[in-house]
């Protein structure tokens, strides 16, 4: 089938070939998302390990989020132009390079460089989704996309206890050697199994647009992530916020006047794309609220009367089912999309997330109750994440699927960054003193769960604003191939 305005022929692969492509791409997605939680168990120890202040050491986590946010939409566009498989390999190469740099150093500066390179791997997930659309047989696309979307949550949830076990029982540098080895294995599997997509966009790359987007996102996300440390009314926070408005406004003006923009804002402004991306911010916010608040509640001292006194490894294992249920539900998500369409599926996922946080507000007396609440939230996230690419790809030209999915991943990253700032600020303010140490209060945890539930409800409302008619036949057919 020849694509309009693209180069090449779409080849539908089924049978063993198609299954191997799905397995390899999903594995790459798991490894890429694992990078987000790789160092979480080491956060309290980083000031000592890197001979740095706690504020400076926090850049080891912050830089990964920033790099992922900036690189993901850019790598998507490069994939549309020069080959999606090629960009997956480059992304994995950056992951391996970052892992080696981090494994060989105890310097803060080099660690930040290494973690930044690791963050560049997040582009693998939207690129993989686009490859699946190009390569797989129609009947396999829906399930494959659901599985790939689930890796955004699965890798982080499953990776947390694995990283904690390694950090507690081996030299912390082993974590980075492990991530580098996983990156090499994924790269070799891509070379052996995944063909280069024939779908290309015959256009030049918008270098100035990429630079403008990177500058605007950094100005936007830095104060969101670091505002609690710098002070929300400090000059750096307010100055960067104002700069973000100016830079992104200028970038948008420039994009609208280019013949071949980095991001086609006219397409992005279509109601299905716009409201899906806005809903993605809310779902990303709700997902990260769990990652930030549940471990703290599980590890809070039992002497508080509500803390569960779990170790780092025990809390990680308690939350691992959250990620596993996302993976197990991917076939269910695909069936929901095929039966009801991606819009109702996204709405259903958002509703399930809100119910999960509702359970958490009421049921937080023991580990089993929190596991149950986290599994419900994970189920909702898995359902919602599966629906987003189907909505996006049904509303953009086939030649822009990678860049459009990259932009959607960026919206989720904006949600997680905002959640990180909001939840950290709430838990830091709503505290009690136990044994001379200030810890988040019971009310603080319930308040964070309530805010996350409201974010999920906002995602449901935004999903409801996606037009019904345009979604119907077109989007379901795209979800099916």
């Amino acid at each position: 089938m020849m694509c309009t305005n693209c180069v090449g022929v779409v080849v539908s692969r089924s049978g063993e070939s198609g299954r191997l492509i799905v397995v390899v791409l999903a594995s790459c997605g798991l490894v890429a998302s694992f990078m987000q939680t790789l160092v979480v168990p080491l956060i309290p120890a980083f000031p000592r390990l890197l001979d740095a202040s706690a504020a400076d050491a926090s850049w080891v986590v912050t830089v990964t989020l920033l790099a992922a946010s900036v690189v993901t939409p850019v790598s998507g566009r490069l994939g549309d132009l020069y080959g999606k498989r090629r960009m997956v390999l480059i992304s994995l190469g950056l992951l391996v390079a970052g892992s080696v740099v981090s494994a060989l150093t105890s310097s803060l500066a080099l660690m930040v460089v290494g973690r930044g390179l690791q963050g560049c791997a997040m582009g693998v997930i939207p690129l993989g989704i686009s490859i699946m659309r190009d390569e797989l047989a129609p009947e396999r696309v829906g399930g494959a996309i659901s599985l790939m979307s689930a890796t955004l949550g699965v890798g982080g949830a499953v990776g947390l206890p694995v990283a904690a076990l390694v950090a507690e029982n081996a030299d912390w540098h082993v974590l980075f050697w492990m991530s580098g080895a996983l990156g090499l294995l994924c790269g070799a599997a891509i070379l052996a199994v995944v063909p280069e997509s024939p779908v290309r966009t015959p256009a030049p790359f918008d270098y100035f647009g990429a630079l403008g987007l990177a500058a605007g996102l950094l100005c936007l996300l830095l104060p969101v992530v670091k505002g609690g440390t710098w002070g929300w009314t400090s000059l750096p926070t307010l100055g960067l916020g104002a700069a973000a408005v100016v830079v992104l406004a200028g970038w948008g003006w420039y994009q609208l006047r280019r013949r071949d923009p980095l991001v086609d804002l006219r397409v992005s402004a279509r109601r299905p794309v716009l409201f899906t991306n806005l809903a993605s911010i809310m779902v990303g916010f709700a997902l990260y609220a769990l990652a930030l608040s549940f471990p703290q509640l599980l590890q809070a001292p039992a002497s508080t009367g509500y803390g569960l006194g779990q170790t780092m490894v025990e809390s990680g294992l308690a939350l691992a089912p959250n990620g596993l249920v996302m993976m197990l539900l991917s076939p269910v998500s695909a069936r929901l999309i095929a039966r009801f369409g991606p819009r109702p599926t996204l709405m259903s996922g958002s509703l399930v997330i809100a119910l999960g946080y509702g359970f958490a507000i009421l049921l937080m007396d023991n580990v089993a109750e929190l596991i149950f609440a986290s599994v419900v939230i994970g189920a909702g996230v898995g359902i919602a994440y599966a629906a987003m690419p189907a909505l996006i790809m049904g509303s953009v030209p086939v030649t822009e699927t990678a860049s459009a999915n990259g932009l959607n991943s960026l919206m989720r990253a904006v949600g997680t960054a905002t959640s990180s700032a909001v939840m950290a600020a709430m838990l830091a303010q709503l505290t009690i003193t136990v044994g001379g140490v200030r810890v988040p209060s019971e009310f603080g945890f319930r308040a964070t769960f309530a805010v996350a539930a409201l974010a999920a409800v906002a995602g449901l409302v935004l999903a409801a604003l996606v037009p019904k008619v345009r979604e119907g036949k077109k989007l379901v057919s795209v979800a099916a191939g």
Side-chain angles (χ1 to χ4, degrees):
M1 178 177 65
M2 184 64 68
C3 300
T4 305
N5 298 323
C6 66
V7 176
V9 178
V10 177
V11 180
S12 295
R13 301 174 190 272
S14 57
E16 190 64 27
S17 175
R19 283 191 289 271
L20 283 174
I21 289 174
V22 173
V23 169
V24 168
L25 289 174
S27 299
C28 292
L30 285 171
V31 171
S33 61
F34 179 36
M35 296 306 104
Q36 305 298 300
T37 55
L38 177 69
V39 300
V40 168
L42 294 171
I43 290 174
F46 267 139
R48 173 179 55 84
L49 296 174
L50 301 176
D51 190 24
S53 68
D56 289 341
S58 67
W59 281 101
V60 176
V61 177
T62 302
V63 71
T64 309
L65 171 64
L66 295 175
S69 300
V70 170
V71 169
T72 297
V74 174
S75 63
R77 182 59 176 169
L78 288 170
D80 284 332
L81 295 177
Y82 304 118
K84 302 177 184 77
R85 175 178 180 263
R86 178 180 299 175
M87 286 310 304
V88 168
L89 290 170
I90 291 173
S91 299
L92 292 171
L94 293 173
L95 185 155
V96 172
S99 299
V100 171
V101 170
S102 299
L104 293 174
T105 188
S106 295
S107 159
L108 174 64
L110 288 176
M111 183 62 66
V112 169
V113 170
R115 287 288 293 157
L117 291 171
Q118 285 186 320
C120 296
M122 282 301 290
V124 165
I125 295 174
L127 286 165
I129 289 172
S130 298
I131 291 173
M132 289 173 175
R133 182 189 185 184
D134 295 344
E135 296 293 333
L136 299 180
E139 66 273 11
R140 296 190 59 87
V141 173
I145 289 175
S146 298
L147 180 63
M148 193 70 181
S149 299
T151 63
L152 281 163
V154 176
V158 176
L160 190 58
V162 173
L165 283 169
V166 173
E168 284 195 352
N169 296 285
D171 180 82
W172 61 279
H173 291 94
V174 171
L175 281 173
F176 297 104
W177 288 119
M178 180 178 69
S179 65
L182 289 173
L184 285 174
L185 287 173
C186 286
I190 290 289
L191 286 171
V193 173
V194 180
E196 181 57 87
S197 170
V199 180
R200 300 285 182 87
T201 304
F205 180 67
D206 182 7
Y207 292 97
F208 188 74
L211 180 63
L213 179 61
L217 288 175
L218 288 174
C219 290
L220 174 67
L221 293 175
L222 268 175
V224 170
V225 175
K226 304 296 288 184
T229 302
W230 294 344
W232 294 108
T233 58
S234 66
L235 182 61
T237 300
L238 296 177
L240 284 170
V245 173
V246 173
V247 172
L248 290 175
W251 174 80
W253 178 86
Y254 171 76
Q255 291 294 287
L256 288 171
R257 281 154 180 77
R258 268 192 67 90
R259 180 179 177 183
D260 300 299
L262 179 74
V263 177
D264 191 334
L265 294 180
R266 291 182 177 85
V267 171
S268 300
R270 294 174 183 170
R271 281 185 62 190
V273 180
L274 175 62
F275 286 112
T276 300
N277 282 333
L278 292 175
S280 299
I281 295 175
M282 296 296 103
V283 175
F285 184 104
L287 170 63
Y288 200 76
L290 181 149
L292 191 66
S293 58
F294 275 50
Q296 292 193 57
L297 178 56
L298 286 163
Q299 295 177 48
S303 58
T304 60
Y306 55 86
L308 300 174
Q310 301 293 293
T311 66
M312 178 174 60
V313 174
E314 288 171 342
S315 65
L317 290 172
L319 295 177
N322 163 267
L324 293 175
V325 76
M326 294 186 202
M327 182 76 75
L328 295 175
L329 274 179
S330 59
V332 177
S333 303
R335 292 191 186 98
L336 288 173
I337 293 170
R339 175 68 177 84
F340 301 106
R343 173 181 168 273
T345 303
L346 177 54
M347 294 172 64
S348 300
S350 300
L351 178 60
V352 172
I353 295 170
L355 290 174
Y357 279 111
F359 292 143
I361 294 171
L362 300 173
L363 307 173
M364 51 181 281
D365 296 329
N366 56 60
V367 175
E369 290 178 349
L370 280 185
I371 291 175
F372 173 75
S374 72
V375 165
V376 174
I377 294 168
V381 171
I383 292 169
Y385 273 14
M388 292 171 189
L391 279 168
I392 293 293
M393 291 193 297
S395 304
V396 303
V398 68
T399 51
E400 296 182 21
T401 55
S403 55
N405 280 318
L407 182 62
N408 183 249
S409 295
L410 168 62
M411 294 300 103
R412 284 178 258 191
V414 170
T416 59
T418 306
S419 179
S420 173
V422 171
M423 296 299 156
M426 291 179 65
L427 293 175
Q429 292 296 319
L430 303 172
T431 60
I432 61 172
T433 301
V434 177
V437 178
R438 296 193 69 80
V439 297
S441 66
E442 182 178 6
F443 175 76
F445 285 115
R446 294 189 194 277
T448 59
F449 299 157
V451 169
L454 289 174
V457 171
L460 187 157
V461 172
L462 290 165
L465 294 174
V466 175
K468 295 180 182 179
V469 176
R470 291 191 61 187
E471 156 201 274
K473 295 182 179 179
K474 182 180 179 183
L475 293 182
V476 174
S477 66
V478 170

